[in-house]
Amino acid sequence: MSLSSIYSPKINDEEEFADILEDLRRSWDLGHALRTFKPSVPDTGPPPCSAAELTAAVRTSQHLRYLTQGGVCVGVCVCVEVILSEMSQNLQMSSIRLLGYGLNKAMKRLFHARQRQHGRLQPTAQGYPVILMPNHRSYMDFLIISFLSFTYDLPIPVIAAGTPLSKMKLMGEIFRRCGAFYIRRGIGSDKLYWAFCPSMVKTIVRRAYAPLEFYVEGLRSRTLKALPPKLGMMHMVLEPFFKGEVYDITLVPISISYDRVVEESLLAHELLGVPKPRETTRGLLKASSVLWENYGSMHVNIGQALSVRAMCQGKIDRNHYNRVPRDLPQKPGEDMQACVSLLAHRVVRDQEQGAVLSPWSLMATVLLQSPVPSLVQEGLPWGALAQRTLWLRGHALAFGARLNWPDTCTESDEVMSSNMSLHHSVARRRGGRVFLLEEEGFAGRRPTSAEEGVAWRAVAVLMMASHRNQALHVFARPAMLAVAIVSIKPSDDLIMFSLVNVFHSTACGASWEINVCRSRVYQDFEEACSLLGKAGAIQCCQEEISVTDAGQQTMTFLKTLLQPFMDSYQVTCRHIVPIDWLTDWSMTAFYRLLFLNSELQTYEALSSDTQSNALSSLLRLEAVTKLRT
């Protein structure tokens, strides 16, 4: 199977999204929680086991015995039990019913929830392990799939979660009994934990104990765009297949899309350096005030299942694992590392393609094309916003986006007006113009310093940018080609060879901002050429590309779309690299100082994620060195 066939679009739009809460709104909440639950199970495969048997299998695994060979001291035994008690899940239906009752009430207040293709969550008839891989944009993601599974009589998944959730009083144990098993993020040099973590994951996969759910991005995206995939968990999941312990593994990409995320203001403050609050039960109860807000629609799109065996056919040599006993730790070969990376990027790309964009994502994209001071003081005429948004809607549909928008354009003004009302905390319509709202202090307090004023305005910009970021994947590849075309500009006709090289450099530099697999940049280039050609923005003739007169507006829009990231990276190279050393805190303060001195105009450069991504690109180029002190 070629790379192009692996990445070809595969989603069929014949099946419509169904409102999963429609029947629940008319039913009794407690009745739904106490309903008979009869999940289907595969006809073949490993025999079912209990949570205690699964934990015992991990405790007695050959991998752990090899690590502790030569005798196990009392201290090691104590550490083993501590790690097991921390990591083990204890799936119980009583807790699932309790949390299902609470989730049912919360979701009916917060969202209009729709799902598509829940049948793809069914286990395969052959009993292969099923790996559920949703994107991660909100705390609500954590148990959405479990809620769907309970509602539609599907096997409840076990979920890889971060250890901070386990420290929540009462709720941490409830999550554990709903299938969560907790994994530390910073394992460091703890060899015992390094043995237990893969053993737990691989035992779940080998025994097909339950569908395994984890986030391939690793962390919750604070910018609401796709993060580069983390490959550690992916290696653990796929190793049983590489070693021939299972015949196949089924990966199920899942896209969860929100009109508004519950934490939108919190995420913006975190990006500006405000410490993330600890996950506590008390904090959860205090946050109950969000239940009175309107957060629009939530869409859950279950993507097409991917067969690991079919996708790895002819790409890896599994004999690498036959040269030493399976229980011994082995470093995967280069072909397997490349295959894991390819699969991870494929899953993230499928998640992006399955995402459903709200009209506000397009409206925010248009608004951010205007200078921020102008948006705050003068606003943008409503008619201009509506016209440009409809123009952008046509391009988004041509580029393959999924939009939560009526087919008839006669309702477009009503759709955009309702979305403006939904996002009243970010922008507001007054006197026929749309204004960006700066954050207000307590009791109407105004900023006491210029730096505080910059931070308050940056909160609103980052909140709006997060909605634009949800549509970024639709335009990213054509935008990178537009930047490449503008960068060369030797004549009206652009030589293909030079264009490909500049596109490759742009894609590699932007790989921290955009989900780009570096091994398939040339396929991305061909895709960008095809999309811009269909939009009538460029003409391809043999080895040359030319921009059409009608495509000038499209090219300007696409270049402006990536301008905030380009400006942020240029500022980093110009000001940060010459400095001998900087800490994370002093770097954030340094960026704010640049902004106050008018040496920086892009508010998004104040985002800690943008700064981190710029430094990660420089680290990859070996222009800077990162020290842990």
Side-chain angles (χ1 to χ4, degrees):
M1 186 180 294
S2 66
L3 290 179
S4 58
S5 64
I6 281 182
Y7 275 84
S8 60
K10 67 344 177 208
I11 296 179
N12 182 1
D13 280 319
E14 292 180 359
E15 301 88 359
E16 295 294 331
F17 283 88
D19 189 346
I20 62 177
L21 299 179
E22 183 177 359
D23 293 334
L24 297 180
R25 293 185 194 279
R26 297 193 298 263
S27 63
W28 188 31
D29 293 337
L30 189 59
H32 176 261
L34 298 177
R35 59 187 286 275
T36 303
F37 178 65
K38 294 182 178 179
S40 56
V41 294
D43 300 328
T44 60
C49 65
S50 64
E53 292 172 334
L54 184 74
T55 303
V58 175
R59 184 187 287 110
T60 59
S61 66
Q62 292 293 332
H63 185 90
L64 188 63
R65 289 183 183 178
Y66 167 78
L67 187 73
T68 57
Q69 62 184 352
V72 180
C73 64
V74 175
V76 171
C77 289
V78 172
C79 289
V80 166
E81 293 307 316
V82 169
I83 294 173
L84 271 178
S85 63
E86 175 186 300
M87 189 180 294
S88 301
Q89 52 78 33
N90 186 18
L91 196 59
Q92 294 181 6
M93 278 307 303
S94 57
S95 296
I96 291 171
R97 294 183 187 279
L98 174 63
L99 204 60
Y101 174 78
L103 268 178
N104 191 11
K105 278 190 167 297
M107 288 179 62
K108 287 194 294 186
R109 281 188 176 273
L110 292 172
F111 300 106
H112 299 285
R114 299 179 175 89
Q115 64 81 34
R116 179 176 177 271
Q117 287 286 10
H118 71 266
R120 289 175 178 164
L121 292 176
Q122 288 277 12
T124 58
Q126 294 82 7
Y128 304 145
V130 176
I131 313 299
L132 307 178
M133 305 178 71
N135 54 2
H136 198 11
R137 301 293 178 269
S138 169
Y139 283 122
M140 293 293 295
D141 302 336
F142 183 61
L143 290 171
I144 290 297
I145 308 304
S146 299
F147 180 80
L148 284 176
S149 299
F150 176 72
T151 301
Y152 291 106
D153 288 331
L154 301 171
I156 304 294
V158 291
I159 310 167
T163 49
L165 288 178
S166 68
K167 295 178 172 57
M168 295 177 66
K169 293 181 179 179
L170 184 63
M171 293 305 299
E173 184 59 29
I174 290 177
F175 291 153
R176 189 189 301 276
R177 296 185 182 187
C178 289
F181 64 99
Y182 300 107
I183 296 178
R184 301 174 193 169
R185 289 199 179 103
I187 299 176
S189 58
D190 190 336
K191 293 184 179 180
L192 194 61
Y193 199 91
W194 270 114
F196 262 103
C197 187
S199 293
M200 174 64 75
V201 173
K202 289 185 285 189
T203 303
I204 292 172
V205 174
R206 278 197 305 264
R207 295 198 169 209
Y209 168 75
L212 172 62
E213 178 185 339
F214 77 96
Y215 305 111
V216 69
E217 299 166 290
L219 301 171
R220 182 172 50 115
S221 175
R222 296 181 296 180
T223 58
L224 300 191
K225 65 174 180 281
L227 301 177
K230 301 290 191 296
L231 304 183
M233 189 72 173
M234 198 75 173
H235 273 289
M236 298 180 203
V237 167
L238 297 181
E239 189 172 319
F241 169 76
F242 292 151
K243 289 186 175 183
E245 296 172 305
V246 296
Y247 181 79
D248 196 4
I249 294 176
T250 301
L251 306 179
V252 183
I254 302 174
S255 304
I256 306 177
S257 311
Y258 300 88
D259 283 357
R260 284 179 65 191
V261 294
V262 177
E263 315 92 324
E264 59 179 357
S265 176
L266 178 65
L267 295 177
H269 283 86
E270 286 182 25
L271 290 172
L272 292 173
V274 177
K276 174 186 173 183
R278 287 182 57 194
E279 291 94 344
T280 62
T281 304
R282 183 179 181 182
L284 180 64
L285 295 176
K286 281 186 176 181
S288 60
S289 59
V290 302
L291 295 176
W292 306 106
E293 273 281 346
N294 179 16
Y295 290 90
S297 297
M298 174 181 67
H299 290 80
V300 182
N301 188 3
I302 314 299
Q304 184 67 46
L306 307 174
S307 166
V308 172
R309 186 176 187 85
M311 296 184 67
C312 293
Q313 189 70 35
K315 294 184 176 62
I316 59 173
D317 177 17
R318 294 201 290 174
N319 291 327
H320 168 81
Y321 283 105
N322 294 335
R323 296 166 190 158
V324 293
R326 289 177 176 174
D327 296 318
L328 300 185
Q330 301 177 56
K331 184 178 180 180
E334 292 184 4
D335 57 341
M336 294 181 184
Q337 294 183 31
C339 195
V340 169
S341 177
L342 183 69
L343 287 170
H345 280 90
R346 165 63 189 271
V347 168
V348 175
R349 186 72 188 277
D350 283 3
Q351 291 172 348
E352 290 179 330
Q353 291 178 338
V356 177
L357 303 182
S358 72
W360 179 250
S361 292
L362 302 184
M363 295 170 69
T365 303
V366 171
L367 285 168
L368 287 176
Q369 297 262 316
S370 302
V372 172
S374 175
L375 277 180
V376 174
Q377 298 167 8
E378 303 169 13
L380 183 68
W382 174 258
L385 174 61
Q387 182 182 6
R388 295 177 195 174
T389 302
L390 289 176
W391 173 84
L392 186 58
R393 175 180 180 264
H395 277 68
L397 292 173
F399 289 170
R402 280 195 173 89
L403 297 179
N404 182 23
W405 198 313
D407 294 333
T408 58
C409 289
T410 55
E411 301 178 10
S412 294
D413 190 75
E414 181 182 346
V415 169
M416 287 186 279
S417 296
S418 64
N419 273 265
M420 180 65 65
S421 300
L422 179 65
H423 297 275
H424 58 85
S425 61
V426 182
R428 197 159 295 172
R429 181 180 176 182
R430 293 196 304 265
R433 304 183 77 88
V434 178
F435 294 85
L436 177 69
L437 296 183
E438 295 178 303
E439 186 185 43
E440 296 180 358
F442 294 105
R445 182 179 67 86
R446 303 307 300 164
T448 57
S449 65
E451 184 176 356
E452 190 175 45
V454 168
W456 284 13
R457 182 172 292 183
V459 168
V461 173
L462 293 180
M463 287 173 65
M464 186 172 287
S466 68
H467 293 281
R468 179 213 58 203
N469 289 341
Q470 295 180 69
L472 189 62
H473 68 277
V474 176
F475 306 102
R477 285 155 184 81
M480 289 190 293
L481 179 56
V483 169
I485 290 175
V486 172
S487 300
I488 298 177
K489 214 172 185 178
S491 63
D492 292 337
D493 296 328
L494 302 172
I495 305 302
M496 189 72 72
F497 178 76
S498 301
L499 202 58
V500 169
N501 287 337
V502 176
F503 182 89
H504 184 275
S505 300
T506 305
C508 291
S511 60
W512 293 98
E513 303 289 350
I514 300 166
N515 173 39
V516 177
C517 185
R518 301 177 72 187
S519 63
R520 63 174 304 273
V521 171
Y522 296 106
Q523 287 86 346
D524 288 336
F525 176 80
E526 293 175 358
E527 179 186 335
C529 290
S530 174
L531 292 175
L532 286 178
K534 290 179 181 178
I538 62 173
Q539 288 181 342
C540 300
C541 180
Q542 295 180 349
E543 292 299 316
E544 296 180 350
I545 290 180
S546 59
V547 180
T548 64
D549 293 337
Q552 293 295 337
Q553 182 182 2
T554 302
M555 303 300 280
T556 301
F557 160 76
L558 292 172
K559 178 179 177 296
T560 308
L561 184 68
L562 294 185
Q563 196 64 46
F565 307 110
M566 296 167 60
D567 290 346
S568 302
Y569 280 43
Q570 288 173 359
V571 167
T572 301
C573 293
R574 186 181 306 120
H575 294 282
I576 301 297
V577 173
I579 298 176
D580 289 337
W581 62 271
L582 277 173
T583 64
D584 292 341
W585 178 87
S586 61
M587 186 173 68
T588 301
F590 188 73
Y591 271 93
R592 292 193 182 186
L593 181 62
L594 291 176
F595 206 98
L596 292 172
N597 292 337
S598 300
E599 297 181 57
L600 176 63
Q601 305 295 330
T602 305
Y603 281 88
E604 291 178 61
L606 300 177
S607 164
S608 59
D609 272 29
T610 303
Q611 297 166 15
S612 176
N613 292 339
L615 288 178
S616 296
S617 295
L618 292 173
L619 280 169
R620 180 178 289 171
L621 295 173
E622 299 181 352
V624 297
T625 303
K626 184 174 182 178
L627 302 177
R628 299 185 181 275
T629 58

